[in-house]
Amino acid sequence: WLPWKRAETLRQKTHPLRALLGKEFRFQQVSFLLAGLLLLVQVAMLLLQKFANLEAYSPLARVVQIFWGLWIVMPLLVGCSAVAEERKLGTLEPQLCLPVSRAWQFAVKVFVTMVCGTVLGALVPVLVEVINPGRGSNPMEFAAGWTLACVCLAFVAFYASSLTHQLLQALGAAIGMV
């Protein structure tokens, strides 16, 4: 019955776009977990390279030197799980009932997918190349090329996931498109 109290209760505590962003980042939890595990293995490989006395042309030395290339899988996993897993779990249709337009939902989904795919796929290999340059080239040229490759792969994987219903189908479609 007091007008100033009524105005306080009508105010919205969270914005729908913020909630949608949080939902999309929580949906990428598996990708963050896999990136963390891959980071632990990458650190172990760097320690092995630094402290073990490996012969120059041994298979183990070669694996240790090119292990950072495995990070190219992260943009594929992030992009392929964006839409396909929501379809599989049946959460895509109830999302259309949210108080946010479909265009904003799609824009947030694409934004989160591109950011996660780029950061998870490009950050560690670029840092490894800057810290330990292996090819004698300019690390900034490598960083620009690798980041562009991660963005393109995340975009192709996102498109593939919008065509399929499961992660493995989306991975197959994305690899076929690439």
Side-chain angles (χ1 to χ4, degrees):
W1 53 276
L2 298 172
W4 57 87
K5 292 286 186 184
R6 187 176 31 198
E8 283 182 20
T9 59
L10 291 178
R11 223 177 307 154
Q12 199 172 18
K13 292 185 174 135
T14 61
H15 196 272
L17 287 177
R18 190 177 333 156
L20 192 60
L21 265 173
K23 180 191 81 75
E24 291 297 329
F25 277 113
R26 279 191 305 274
F27 189 70
Q28 296 292 340
Q29 282 179 343
V30 173
S31 300
F32 292 138
L33 176 68
L34 290 174
L37 291 174
L38 190 58
L39 179 64
L40 287 175
V41 176
Q42 179 73 46
V43 168
M45 288 291 170
L46 289 175
L47 291 174
L48 182 67
Q49 182 181 11
K50 184 170 184 156
F51 293 117
N53 189 10
L54 300 174
E55 295 178 16
Y57 295 107
S58 70
L60 183 60
R62 199 70 183 134
V63 167
V64 168
Q65 288 175 354
I66 62 169
F67 186 80
W68 58 267
L70 198 59
W71 284 91
I72 200 70
V73 174
M74 288 310 299
L76 284 173
L77 286 175
V78 169
C80 287
S81 69
V83 178
E85 288 297 313
E86 283 193 9
R87 280 193 185 148
K88 183 178 115 180
L89 296 172
T91 59
L92 189 62
E93 288 81 17
Q95 185 177 344
L96 300 176
C97 298
L98 294 176
V100 179
S101 70
R102 289 182 187 181
W104 276 107
Q105 290 180 20
F106 182 74
V108 166
K109 185 174 287 297
V110 169
F111 174 76
V112 169
T113 302
M114 292 301 141
V115 166
C116 289
T118 304
V119 168
L120 293 179
L123 186 65
V124 172
V126 167
L127 287 177
V128 167
E129 184 63 24
V130 167
I131 292 170
N132 187 14
R135 286 175 286 290
S137 65
N138 186 4
M140 290 306 138
E141 289 176 7
F142 170 77
W146 189 266
T147 305
L148 182 63
C150 287
V151 168
C152 292
L153 278 175
F155 185 74
V156 167
F158 181 81
Y159 179 67
S161 76
S162 68
L163 299 175
T164 59
H165 288 278
Q166 292 183 359
L167 176 69
L168 291 177
Q169 292 173 345
L171 275 173
I175 290 171
M177 286 179 196
V178 169

